[in-house]
Amino acid sequence: MSDVINNKAHNRYELDVEGHIAATYYRLDGDVITFVHTEVPAELGGKGIGSKLVKGALDQVRTADLKVIAQCPFVKAWIDKHPDYADILKR
């Protein structure tokens, strides 16, 4: 399984698993990144791929010192379940 990459040309973080791409889409405005939508192909459902994708994306966001707006319900739910990531949310 490969690592999460930031595909800046498509405004998404993506994870290639078994030839399928899971992606979380974002908008970047200065030092604020808004996650708007996450897609995991049906073939990858139930394998924790969405969680791996979001964790990898948020780890990169933290390293880049960005603040997060979790507009995407999946990203918001993931952060709610992992309160150690709450510090990167935009207040």
Side-chain angles (χ1 to χ4, degrees):
M1 195 180 303
S2 58
D3 291 326
V4 174
I5 62 163
N6 184 357
N7 184 336
K8 293 179 182 179
H10 290 98
N11 289 335
R12 69 186 192 183
Y13 286 91
E14 53 189 43
L15 181 60
D16 184 337
V17 181
E18 300 166 8
H20 301 285
I21 301 287
T24 185
Y25 294 83
Y26 64 82
R27 284 190 314 267
L28 188 60
D29 183 18
D31 65 349
V32 177
I33 187 166
T34 302
F35 286 94
V36 294
H37 181 65
T38 301
E39 293 177 356
V40 176
E43 296 87 349
L44 303 177
K47 297 181 180 178
I49 301 301
S51 291
K52 180 176 169 67
L53 169 66
V54 169
K55 180 183 186 315
L58 293 177
D59 286 346
Q60 292 180 43
V61 165
R62 175 176 272 154
T63 299
D65 205 24
L66 300 175
K67 288 297 181 183
V68 171
I69 297 174
Q71 187 176 341
C72 169
F74 186 86
V75 174
K76 181 179 182 332
W78 193 93
I79 293 172
D80 288 346
K81 290 179 195 161
H82 300 87
D84 48 320
Y85 283 81
D87 64 302
I88 63 174
L89 288 173
K90 180 166 173 51
R91 304 274 174 222

